[in-house]
Amino acid sequence: MRLGKVLPYVEKNDTILDFGCGHQAYLLNHIKEKIKNGVGIDYDSKSYRLSPNIEVRSFHFIDKLPFLDKSFDKIFALAVIEHIDTPKVSKLFREFSRILKPGGKVILTTPTLIGKVILEFLAFRLGIISKEEVSDHKKYYQKKDLEILAKNYGFTVEKYITFQLGGNSLCVLKKS
């Protein structure tokens, strides 16, 4: 469902960063025929070339991304920011602003407070999803939280919606 929400933001000839792509680089693998270039980074992945135009790198974010200024048209961060310590999220958004081209977009998904209740029930009561992954959530972002991050780092919120009965959100930020 998450993929279906973000695919409309992929345009022909985009240069894309998938931050937190996972070891399978699912998004990049799905869009490799459409985009010009893509880079996926994740601390839990090995470095490899997925296709001639797609590279996956093992990378653990601390405070700087390994890319030149204005390198990307779009940055995707799907189900990622909730796993990052709050002070690092500010550094991450500063870096997103630096590496995005003017008018570029950050497309992110993150669970909401409703999602927290659902995820914790599924993990801790029913045991049908990973307890470790849900326990790793540092913060559940609401629209206001994302609006503040956007304002502080030179973005405007172009779109904010919730899906999966309000348990997840999609936020599209445009670099001012």
Side-chain angles (χ1 to χ4, degrees):
M1 182 174 278
R2 185 178 296 120
L3 186 62
K5 297 290 182 194
V6 302
L7 284 178
Y9 297 97
V10 177
E11 297 179 79
K12 187 171 174 56
N13 294 319
D14 274 345
T15 299
I16 288 177
L17 171 64
D18 186 0
F19 181 86
C21 66
H23 65 278
Q24 294 176 327
Y26 186 72
L27 171 67
L28 291 170
N29 197 33
H30 195 79
I31 62 174
K32 66 186 175 193
E33 304 297 326
K34 186 174 185 176
I35 64 173
K36 181 178 178 182
N37 290 302
V39 179
I41 58 175
D42 198 300
Y43 77 93
D44 197 26
S45 181
K46 294 179 180 178
S47 296
Y48 64 98
R49 187 154 287 281
L50 181 66
S51 68
N53 64 328
I54 305 290
E55 175 187 4
V56 176
R57 296 184 192 176
S58 178
F59 179 79
H60 187 82
F61 178 77
I62 295 173
D63 62 359
K64 186 113 171 110
L65 291 169
F67 305 106
L68 298 174
D69 295 357
K70 302 175 185 170
S71 296
F72 296 97
D73 299 301
K74 310 265 174 52
I75 298 171
F76 289 81
L78 309 180
V80 173
I81 67 169
E82 65 273 12
H83 294 280
I84 301 171
D85 290 324
T86 307
K88 282 188 182 178
V89 171
S90 295
K91 293 175 183 179
L92 181 63
F93 272 73
R94 180 191 70 224
E95 284 294 286
F96 282 174
S97 182
R98 181 184 66 79
I99 67 172
L100 265 178
K101 295 175 183 176
K105 295 179 182 180
V106 175
I107 297 93
L108 64 89
T109 64
T110 188
T112 64
L113 286 175
I114 292 169
K116 177 182 194 283
V117 173
I118 295 166
L119 291 169
E120 289 180 355
F121 180 76
L122 293 173
F124 303 118
R125 294 286 192 137
L126 299 181
I128 59 175
I129 64 172
S130 170
K131 293 176 185 175
E132 293 78 17
E133 191 166 315
V134 174
S135 294
D136 186 53
H137 289 178
K138 310 294 191 266
K139 179 178 172 95
Y140 287 86
Y141 289 85
Q142 300 306 296
K143 183 178 183 185
K144 184 168 180 63
D145 299 317
L146 297 171
E147 289 171 338
I148 290 167
L149 280 169
K151 182 181 176 190
N152 288 345
Y153 296 97
F155 295 99
T156 56
V157 176
E158 189 173 89
K159 182 173 189 170
Y160 178 89
I161 62 164
T162 60
F163 60 100
Q164 292 180 324
L165 302 173
N168 267 297
S169 66
L170 164 75
C171 188
V172 179
L173 307 173
K174 186 173 183 179
K175 186 175 174 182
S176 303

